[in-house]
Amino acid sequence: MAESFALKTGARIPSIGLGTGLTEPNDVDNAIYAAVKAGYRHIDCAPAYHNEKEIGLALKKLFEEGVVKREDLFITSKLWCGDHAPEDVEEAIGATLKDLQLEFLDLFLIHGPIRIKKGTTMGPENFLPPDIPATWGAMEKLYDSGKARAIGVSNFSCKKLEDLLAIARVPPAVNQVECHLVWQQDKLRKLCQSRGVHLSAFSPLGSPGTSGVNGAGVLRNTIVISVAEKLQKTPAQIALRWGLQMGQSVLPKSSNEARIKENFDIFSWSIPEDLMPAFSDIKQVKLLRGELAVHPLSVYKTFEDLWDGEI
Ligand code: A2P
């Protein structure tokens, strides 16, 4: 069984989850099946990934075959940017639960501090100013109802997280953000640790499969490769194990069975403490900057606006 981290709700979040953001609907069945068989107990989903129905079918099959029980799994999903209006939030989780064929989520996150008109796609003509306190109020109701056993946010800067913490009745349990050896998020990690918010890392391998991203940044980094050679591990395993040792859960995506297994083999060994400082020398670059949200018609005119100067 994988290690896990405590959430402030009292629940535990498995320290590795399968990311599903790049997985084609046709591949998702195999990926979920391979992951659960390999020992993964956390699946990170979102309606924005257009594969929740297929994930639901895969989960149903796993439950029916008795491979795993619902209570053994930790399922995360997210509120899409078009569903921020408080009156749309319950319907949005309802659609996700229906697609996933579940009664509740273990964690439901606001996908980002970005709002668009309901039913539209991300584009200049569709931007609306977010009202996070109003959306959060509706998220708190989902927590009260038990449909979401924990609630949190994603893609929140330190400033946005602090603003939310200042007004929340139910504080966010998690901030899921881009976090890897090339974007280590030291400031956000410290804030999260001091405020009891669990940091969950998406793109922990630097997202080599995302178009426009130079994934070579993490897996081909010379420092990562030299530590991997010393410990006889792969660069991906070093990248993931570093995340665990920093106290964050990691959400690597893969639809390849061998790599799904490789990425899970990070519990029986550790990076010795004396090798950890070497990672501080890695040049820091945010690889996923949120291009689609930045526009003269958006509330975020620049990347500095979106990330509050924290890039
Ligand atoms: P694949 O699905 O072919 O395995 P991230 O989680 O940082 O966004 O990275 C996901 C990308 O990394 C996917 O393109 C995935 O491709 C690839 N990937 C996943 N695991 C590994 C691994 N162990 N080694 C190399 N590439 C990997």
Side-chain angles (χ1 to χ4, degrees), residues 222-245:
T222 51
I223 294 173
V224 179
I225 289 174
S226 93
V227 172
E229 282 170 355
K230 264 191 202 132
L231 300 181
Q232 301 196 328
K233 301 293 171 192
T234 65
Q237 289 171 327
I238 297 299
L240 298 172
R241 181 70 211 187
W242 169 82
L244 300 194
Q245 290 181 220

PDB file of all heavy atoms in Angstrom, residues 222-245:
ATOM      1  N   THR A 222      20.570  17.416 -16.076  1.00  0.00           N
ATOM      2  CA  THR A 222      21.806  16.674 -15.763  1.00  0.00           C
ATOM      3  C   THR A 222      21.901  16.324 -14.279  1.00  0.00           C
ATOM      4  O   THR A 222      22.424  15.263 -13.923  1.00  0.00           O
ATOM      5  CB  THR A 222      23.055  17.481 -16.181  1.00  0.00           C
ATOM      6  OG1 THR A 222      22.930  18.787 -15.631  1.00  0.00           O
ATOM      7  CG2 THR A 222      23.185  17.566 -17.691  1.00  0.00           C
ATOM      8  N   ILE A 223      21.371  17.203 -13.414  1.00  0.00           N
ATOM      9  CA  ILE A 223      21.434  16.901 -11.962  1.00  0.00           C
ATOM     10  C   ILE A 223      20.509  15.715 -11.649  1.00  0.00           C
ATOM     11  O   ILE A 223      20.885  14.793 -10.909  1.00  0.00           O
ATOM     12  CB  ILE A 223      21.051  18.147 -11.137  1.00  0.00           C
ATOM     13  CG1 ILE A 223      22.121  19.230 -11.343  1.00  0.00           C
ATOM     14  CG2 ILE A 223      20.890  17.810  -9.655  1.00  0.00           C
ATOM     15  CD1 ILE A 223      21.797  20.575 -10.725  1.00  0.00           C
ATOM     16  N   VAL A 224      19.335  15.720 -12.254  1.00  0.00           N
ATOM     17  CA  VAL A 224      18.382  14.619 -12.029  1.00  0.00           C
ATOM     18  C   VAL A 224      18.993  13.309 -12.549  1.00  0.00           C
ATOM     19  O   VAL A 224      18.960  12.269 -11.869  1.00  0.00           O
ATOM     20  CB  VAL A 224      17.029  14.909 -12.735  1.00  0.00           C
ATOM     21  CG1 VAL A 224      16.050  13.764 -12.513  1.00  0.00           C
ATOM     22  CG2 VAL A 224      16.430  16.226 -12.231  1.00  0.00           C
ATOM     23  N   ILE A 225      19.602  13.385 -13.726  1.00  0.00           N
ATOM     24  CA  ILE A 225      20.195  12.173 -14.313  1.00  0.00           C
ATOM     25  C   ILE A 225      21.351  11.666 -13.447  1.00  0.00           C
ATOM     26  O   ILE A 225      21.469  10.453 -13.211  1.00  0.00           O
ATOM     27  CB  ILE A 225      20.666  12.453 -15.760  1.00  0.00           C
ATOM     28  CG1 ILE A 225      19.426  12.625 -16.657  1.00  0.00           C
ATOM     29  CG2 ILE A 225      21.561  11.333 -16.289  1.00  0.00           C
ATOM     30  CD1 ILE A 225      19.715  13.039 -18.073  1.00  0.00           C
ATOM     31  N   SER A 226      22.154  12.583 -12.917  1.00  0.00           N
ATOM     32  CA  SER A 226      23.307  12.098 -12.135  1.00  0.00           C
ATOM     33  C   SER A 226      22.842  11.455 -10.824  1.00  0.00           C
ATOM     34  O   SER A 226      23.376  10.425 -10.409  1.00  0.00           O
ATOM     35  CB  SER A 226      24.342  13.204 -11.927  1.00  0.00           C
ATOM     36  OG  SER A 226      24.117  13.863 -10.724  1.00  0.00           O
ATOM     37  N   VAL A 227      21.787  12.002 -10.190  1.00  0.00           N
ATOM     38  CA  VAL A 227      21.260  11.367  -8.966  1.00  0.00           C
ATOM     39  C   VAL A 227      20.651  10.011  -9.324  1.00  0.00           C
ATOM     40  O   VAL A 227      20.835   9.010  -8.612  1.00  0.00           O
ATOM     41  CB  VAL A 227      20.238  12.293  -8.253  1.00  0.00           C
ATOM     42  CG1 VAL A 227      19.560  11.563  -7.098  1.00  0.00           C
ATOM     43  CG2 VAL A 227      20.916  13.564  -7.749  1.00  0.00           C
ATOM     44  N   ALA A 228      19.946   9.961 -10.463  1.00  0.00           N
ATOM     45  CA  ALA A 228      19.329   8.697 -10.897  1.00  0.00           C
ATOM     46  C   ALA A 228      20.412   7.630 -11.116  1.00  0.00           C
ATOM     47  O   ALA A 228      20.252   6.478 -10.685  1.00  0.00           O
ATOM     48  CB  ALA A 228      18.529   8.921 -12.176  1.00  0.00           C
ATOM     49  N   GLU A 229      21.505   8.025 -11.737  1.00  0.00           N
ATOM     50  CA  GLU A 229      22.580   7.045 -11.987  1.00  0.00           C
ATOM     51  C   GLU A 229      23.188   6.560 -10.680  1.00  0.00           C
ATOM     52  O   GLU A 229      23.427   5.369 -10.490  1.00  0.00           O
ATOM     53  CB  GLU A 229      23.642   7.664 -12.906  1.00  0.00           C
ATOM     54  CG  GLU A 229      23.158   7.662 -14.359  1.00  0.00           C
ATOM     55  CD  GLU A 229      24.047   8.468 -15.302  1.00  0.00           C
ATOM     56  OE1 GLU A 229      25.008   9.119 -14.836  1.00  0.00           O
ATOM     57  OE2 GLU A 229      23.735   8.440 -16.518  1.00  0.00           O
ATOM     58  N   LYS A 230      23.396   7.505  -9.749  1.00  0.00           N
ATOM     59  CA  LYS A 230      23.978   7.119  -8.444  1.00  0.00           C
ATOM     60  C   LYS A 230      23.094   6.112  -7.732  1.00  0.00           C
ATOM     61  O   LYS A 230      23.580   5.178  -7.089  1.00  0.00           O
ATOM     62  CB  LYS A 230      24.095   8.359  -7.550  1.00  0.00           C
ATOM     63  CG  LYS A 230      25.446   8.988  -7.590  1.00  0.00           C
ATOM     64  CD  LYS A 230      25.590  10.048  -6.501  1.00  0.00           C
ATOM     65  CE  LYS A 230      26.699  10.978  -6.942  1.00  0.00           C
ATOM     66  NZ  LYS A 230      26.427  12.364  -6.860  1.00  0.00           N
ATOM     67  N   LEU A 231      21.771   6.303  -7.796  1.00  0.00           N
ATOM     68  CA  LEU A 231      20.845   5.456  -7.028  1.00  0.00           C
ATOM     69  C   LEU A 231      20.284   4.303  -7.858  1.00  0.00           C
ATOM     70  O   LEU A 231      19.470   3.523  -7.354  1.00  0.00           O
ATOM     71  CB  LEU A 231      19.687   6.316  -6.483  1.00  0.00           C
ATOM     72  CG  LEU A 231      20.092   7.477  -5.551  1.00  0.00           C
ATOM     73  CD1 LEU A 231      18.858   8.228  -5.068  1.00  0.00           C
ATOM     74  CD2 LEU A 231      20.886   6.968  -4.352  1.00  0.00           C
ATOM     75  N   GLN A 232      20.716   4.243  -9.117  1.00  0.00           N
ATOM     76  CA  GLN A 232      20.230   3.204 -10.041  1.00  0.00           C
ATOM     77  C   GLN A 232      18.708   3.213 -10.155  1.00  0.00           C
ATOM     78  O   GLN A 232      18.030   2.181 -10.047  1.00  0.00           O
ATOM     79  CB  GLN A 232      20.740   1.836  -9.626  1.00  0.00           C
ATOM     80  CG  GLN A 232      22.255   1.829  -9.622  1.00  0.00           C
ATOM     81  CD  GLN A 232      22.827   0.440  -9.588  1.00  0.00           C
ATOM     82  OE1 GLN A 232      22.255  -0.478  -9.009  1.00  0.00           O
ATOM     83  NE2 GLN A 232      23.975   0.266 -10.208  1.00  0.00           N
ATOM     84  N   LYS A 233      18.188   4.429 -10.322  1.00  0.00           N
ATOM     85  CA  LYS A 233      16.749   4.632 -10.543  1.00  0.00           C
ATOM     86  C   LYS A 233      16.591   5.401 -11.849  1.00  0.00           C
ATOM     87  O   LYS A 233      17.573   5.890 -12.409  1.00  0.00           O
ATOM     88  CB  LYS A 233      16.144   5.447  -9.383  1.00  0.00           C
ATOM     89  CG  LYS A 233      16.316   4.799  -8.022  1.00  0.00           C
ATOM     90  CD  LYS A 233      15.521   3.519  -7.912  1.00  0.00           C
ATOM     91  CE  LYS A 233      15.858   2.760  -6.631  1.00  0.00           C
ATOM     92  NZ  LYS A 233      15.319   1.397  -6.629  1.00  0.00           N
ATOM     93  N   THR A 234      15.352   5.535 -12.316  1.00  0.00           N
ATOM     94  CA  THR A 234      15.150   6.328 -13.532  1.00  0.00           C
ATOM     95  C   THR A 234      14.945   7.798 -13.135  1.00  0.00           C
ATOM     96  O   THR A 234      14.539   8.099 -11.997  1.00  0.00           O
ATOM     97  CB  THR A 234      13.904   5.848 -14.311  1.00  0.00           C
ATOM     98  OG1 THR A 234      12.742   6.101 -13.509  1.00  0.00           O
ATOM     99  CG2 THR A 234      14.001   4.363 -14.638  1.00  0.00           C
ATOM    100  N   PRO A 235      15.185   8.733 -14.078  1.00  0.00           N
ATOM    101  CA  PRO A 235      14.933  10.152 -13.764  1.00  0.00           C
ATOM    102  C   PRO A 235      13.496  10.387 -13.293  1.00  0.00           C
ATOM    103  O   PRO A 235      13.264  11.185 -12.377  1.00  0.00           O
ATOM    104  CB  PRO A 235      15.223  10.852 -15.099  1.00  0.00           C
ATOM    105  CG  PRO A 235      16.231   9.961 -15.770  1.00  0.00           C
ATOM    106  CD  PRO A 235      15.831   8.561 -15.388  1.00  0.00           C
ATOM    107  N   ALA A 236      12.538   9.675 -13.880  1.00  0.00           N
ATOM    108  CA  ALA A 236      11.137   9.861 -13.460  1.00  0.00           C
ATOM    109  C   ALA A 236      10.974   9.458 -11.994  1.00  0.00           C
ATOM    110  O   ALA A 236      10.297  10.141 -11.215  1.00  0.00           O
ATOM    111  CB  ALA A 236      10.201   9.039 -14.347  1.00  0.00           C
ATOM    112  N   GLN A 237      11.598   8.348 -11.601  1.00  0.00           N
ATOM    113  CA  GLN A 237      11.484   7.905 -10.199  1.00  0.00           C
ATOM    114  C   GLN A 237      12.126   8.936  -9.254  1.00  0.00           C
ATOM    115  O   GLN A 237      11.599   9.188  -8.166  1.00  0.00           O
ATOM    116  CB  GLN A 237      12.122   6.531 -10.039  1.00  0.00           C
ATOM    117  CG  GLN A 237      11.285   5.435 -10.703  1.00  0.00           C
ATOM    118  CD  GLN A 237      11.994   4.095 -10.751  1.00  0.00           C
ATOM    119  OE1 GLN A 237      13.225   4.030 -10.883  1.00  0.00           O
ATOM    120  NE2 GLN A 237      11.228   3.024 -10.666  1.00  0.00           N
ATOM    121  N   ILE A 238      13.237   9.513  -9.669  1.00  0.00           N
ATOM    122  CA  ILE A 238      13.880  10.540  -8.832  1.00  0.00           C
ATOM    123  C   ILE A 238      12.947  11.745  -8.700  1.00  0.00           C
ATOM    124  O   ILE A 238      12.749  12.290  -7.599  1.00  0.00           O
ATOM    125  CB  ILE A 238      15.243  10.969  -9.444  1.00  0.00           C
ATOM    126  CG1 ILE A 238      16.211   9.787  -9.487  1.00  0.00           C
ATOM    127  CG2 ILE A 238      15.835  12.172  -8.701  1.00  0.00           C
ATOM    128  CD1 ILE A 238      16.553   9.175  -8.143  1.00  0.00           C
ATOM    129  N   ALA A 239      12.359  12.155  -9.836  1.00  0.00           N
ATOM    130  CA  ALA A 239      11.466  13.328  -9.818  1.00  0.00           C
ATOM    131  C   ALA A 239      10.284  13.088  -8.869  1.00  0.00           C
ATOM    132  O   ALA A 239       9.888  13.981  -8.113  1.00  0.00           O
ATOM    133  CB  ALA A 239      10.954  13.614 -11.225  1.00  0.00           C
ATOM    134  N   LEU A 240       9.732  11.889  -8.886  1.00  0.00           N
ATOM    135  CA  LEU A 240       8.562  11.579  -8.054  1.00  0.00           C
ATOM    136  C   LEU A 240       8.963  11.413  -6.583  1.00  0.00           C
ATOM    137  O   LEU A 240       8.293  11.919  -5.679  1.00  0.00           O
ATOM    138  CB  LEU A 240       7.865  10.322  -8.571  1.00  0.00           C
ATOM    139  CG  LEU A 240       7.305  10.445 -10.001  1.00  0.00           C
ATOM    140  CD1 LEU A 240       6.808   9.091 -10.497  1.00  0.00           C
ATOM    141  CD2 LEU A 240       6.184  11.480 -10.061  1.00  0.00           C
ATOM    142  N   ARG A 241      10.053  10.718  -6.363  1.00  0.00           N
ATOM    143  CA  ARG A 241      10.502  10.490  -4.974  1.00  0.00           C
ATOM    144  C   ARG A 241      10.870  11.826  -4.309  1.00  0.00           C
ATOM    145  O   ARG A 241      10.603  12.023  -3.127  1.00  0.00           O
ATOM    146  CB  ARG A 241      11.686   9.515  -4.978  1.00  0.00           C
ATOM    147  CG  ARG A 241      12.226   9.165  -3.608  1.00  0.00           C
ATOM    148  CD  ARG A 241      11.274   8.294  -2.811  1.00  0.00           C
ATOM    149  NE  ARG A 241      11.419   8.577  -1.393  1.00  0.00           N
ATOM    150  CZ  ARG A 241      10.823   7.900  -0.416  1.00  0.00           C
ATOM    151  NH1 ARG A 241      10.038   6.884  -0.687  1.00  0.00           N
ATOM    152  NH2 ARG A 241      10.996   8.229   0.833  1.00  0.00           N
ATOM    153  N   TRP A 242      11.487  12.732  -5.081  1.00  0.00           N
ATOM    154  CA  TRP A 242      11.775  14.072  -4.548  1.00  0.00           C
ATOM    155  C   TRP A 242      10.469  14.703  -4.040  1.00  0.00           C
ATOM    156  O   TRP A 242      10.435  15.255  -2.936  1.00  0.00           O
ATOM    157  CB  TRP A 242      12.418  14.958  -5.632  1.00  0.00           C
ATOM    158  CG  TRP A 242      12.485  16.400  -5.224  1.00  0.00           C
ATOM    159  CD1 TRP A 242      13.434  16.985  -4.429  1.00  0.00           C
ATOM    160  CD2 TRP A 242      11.535  17.431  -5.553  1.00  0.00           C
ATOM    161  NE1 TRP A 242      13.129  18.320  -4.246  1.00  0.00           N
ATOM    162  CE2 TRP A 242      11.973  18.611  -4.928  1.00  0.00           C
ATOM    163  CE3 TRP A 242      10.361  17.476  -6.314  1.00  0.00           C
ATOM    164  CZ2 TRP A 242      11.284  19.828  -5.039  1.00  0.00           C
ATOM    165  CZ3 TRP A 242       9.672  18.679  -6.426  1.00  0.00           C
ATOM    166  CH2 TRP A 242      10.127  19.839  -5.795  1.00  0.00           C
ATOM    167  N   GLY A 243       9.405  14.582  -4.834  1.00  0.00           N
ATOM    168  CA  GLY A 243       8.119  15.163  -4.425  1.00  0.00           C
ATOM    169  C   GLY A 243       7.636  14.585  -3.106  1.00  0.00           C
ATOM    170  O   GLY A 243       7.250  15.321  -2.195  1.00  0.00           O
ATOM    171  N   LEU A 244       7.687  13.264  -2.994  1.00  0.00           N
ATOM    172  CA  LEU A 244       7.241  12.637  -1.735  1.00  0.00           C
ATOM    173  C   LEU A 244       8.068  13.147  -0.554  1.00  0.00           C
ATOM    174  O   LEU A 244       7.524  13.438   0.511  1.00  0.00           O
ATOM    175  CB  LEU A 244       7.382  11.113  -1.785  1.00  0.00           C
ATOM    176  CG  LEU A 244       6.632  10.320  -2.849  1.00  0.00           C
ATOM    177  CD1 LEU A 244       6.637   8.833  -2.493  1.00  0.00           C
ATOM    178  CD2 LEU A 244       5.201  10.813  -3.002  1.00  0.00           C
ATOM    179  N   GLN A 245       9.393  13.230  -0.769  1.00  0.00           N
ATOM    180  CA  GLN A 245      10.255  13.656   0.343  1.00  0.00           C
ATOM    181  C   GLN A 245      10.033  15.121   0.709  1.00  0.00           C
ATOM    182  O   GLN A 245      10.352  15.531   1.814  1.00  0.00           O
ATOM    183  CB  GLN A 245      11.729  13.343   0.037  1.00  0.00           C
ATOM    184  CG  GLN A 245      11.972  11.840   0.081  1.00  0.00           C
ATOM    185  CD  GLN A 245      13.405  11.389  -0.177  1.00  0.00           C
ATOM    186  OE1 GLN A 245      13.605  10.394  -0.861  1.00  0.00           O
ATOM    187  NE2 GLN A 245      14.408  12.089   0.352  1.00  0.00           N
TER     188      GLN A 245
END
